Every structure is written in structure tokens, then in C-alpha cells.
Amino acid sequence: MASKVIHALYNDDDILMLAVKKVKAAKHHIEEVYCPFPVHGLDKAMGLAPTRIAITAFIYGCIGLAVATVMMNFIMIQDWPQDIGGKPSFSYLENMPAFVPIMFELTVFFAAHLMVITFYMRSKLWPFKQAENPDVRTTDDLFLMEIEIHDNEEELLALLADTGAVEINISEK
């Protein structure tokens, strides 16, 4: 059995923020909010958990730094040591100042690329995936709040009309 949802459309981000706060204060669960641009503070108003992408970025950067260190130690010290500019190639630590730009670049490279891959996997964005946007007007100028109905249709309709919604639709999910 498909569940029914209410789509409340708003034409201003400030009105949307107030509406989200009123709906959350009335103890209703908001499934999703679709916006044409990022609305700052909306995640906190909806009660969403903070993102952990910064932690993964740090881990990916450490992986890049480790790969750079192992790669340069193997290539420049163990496999094929060279006398470049009179610098000895006896140990990695003696030559590390020359390797700092490479270490920095690989740290940034790994962090950036692996974060993008993680974001796409976590968001389930695959190539050729169909859009899940319930109303195409949310990509232009309207904001949509989606709330699932649990035998409280009249109460939700009255609440959303009171919050300043310009349009309220009921549809199957």
C-alpha cells in the first residue's frame, strides 16, 4: 500500500523556516524539504544530525599523505636513489623538505576526489538516475515541504494553511 504525503509549497525561504519550526513544534515528522538554493539553518530547524563529511575528508587526506610518503620513499630512496643538486639520497627524512609540495598535492587530491565519491554514494546519485523531485518548480522559485500522512490529514492541512503555504497538494508516495 502506497502512503499518502502532503506537499506544501512556499514562495519565500523565511516563511519556509517559520513553517518548519511550527510543524516540528506540533510534533509532525517532515520527510523532506526541496529548495532551489541552500537555506542556512534549515538542517537544524528540521532536527537533522550534523554531517560527518569533515571527518571523512580528514581520513582521506591522511590516506593521501600516507600514499605520498610511501610512494616517494620507495621511488626516490629505495628503488632509484639519485644525486639531485648534491643532496644525498640516504634517508627519507633528509630529503623530506623537497617532498612537501608532493605530499600537500596528494593530500588534497585524495581528500577531494574521495569526498566527491563518498558524497555521490551516500546520496545515491548514480549516472543516468531519474530525478526524485516531486515538483519541478522547486528547481526555480518554490520551496516544498513533504510530510507523510498518518490519519491526521485535516490537522496537517489546517496547520500548513496557517503557516503561509501558497499551495497544498496531497499525493501518493
Side-chain angles (χ1 to χ4, degrees):
M1 178 174 115
S3 60
K4 289 171 53 174
V5 292
I6 291 181
H7 292 154
L9 290 148
Y10 298 89
N11 57 4
D12 189 5
D13 58 335
D14 294 328
I15 297 172
L16 172 75
M17 282 294 290
L18 292 173
V20 167
K21 290 175 184 176
K22 285 182 182 178
V23 169
K24 291 303 279 184
K27 305 287 187 218
H28 295 290
H29 176 69
I30 300 171
E31 290 291 323
E32 189 65 68
V33 175
Y34 298 90
C35 302
F37 55 84
V39 178
H40 298 288
L42 184 61
D43 52 346
K44 289 181 183 169
M46 289 179 62
L48 299 176
T51 180
R52 294 185 302 259
I53 195 78
I55 297 167
T56 60
F58 178 74
I59 292 169
Y60 294 152
C62 290
I63 292 170
L65 183 64
V67 167
T69 303
V70 169
M71 177 189 75
M72 289 181 300
N73 184 48
F74 177 74
I75 292 172
M76 299 298 291
I77 307 301
Q78 294 175 0
D79 185 43
W80 193 6
Q82 300 176 35
D83 185 6
I84 300 172
K87 294 180 183 176
S89 296
F90 301 128
S91 74
Y92 179 79
L93 291 177
E94 290 175 348
N95 293 318
M96 194 173 74
F99 298 151
V100 168
I102 299 166
M103 292 169 14
F104 172 76
E105 292 297 331
L106 280 178
T107 299
V108 172
F109 179 84
F110 271 68
H113 286 79
L114 292 176
M115 274 178 32
V116 168
I117 292 168
T118 301
F119 173 76
Y120 283 142
M121 289 175 59
R122 184 79 176 111
S123 301
K124 296 182 178 117
L125 293 173
W126 312 112
F128 311 109
K129 182 181 181 205
Q130 296 296 319
E132 295 177 3
N133 196 346
D135 194 332
V136 295
R137 295 177 292 175
T138 59
T139 62
D140 186 28
D141 63 347
L142 290 179
F143 303 85
L144 184 140
M145 183 186 332
E146 182 179 88
I147 304 170
E148 193 167 344
I149 298 173
H150 299 290
D151 297 329
N152 55 356
E153 187 172 336
E154 292 81 18
E155 177 190 349
L156 278 172
L157 288 172
L159 176 64
L160 293 172
D162 186 45
T163 60
V166 294
E167 185 179 326
I168 301 172
N169 302 320
I170 299 173
S171 63
E172 298 289 326
K173 188 172 183 180

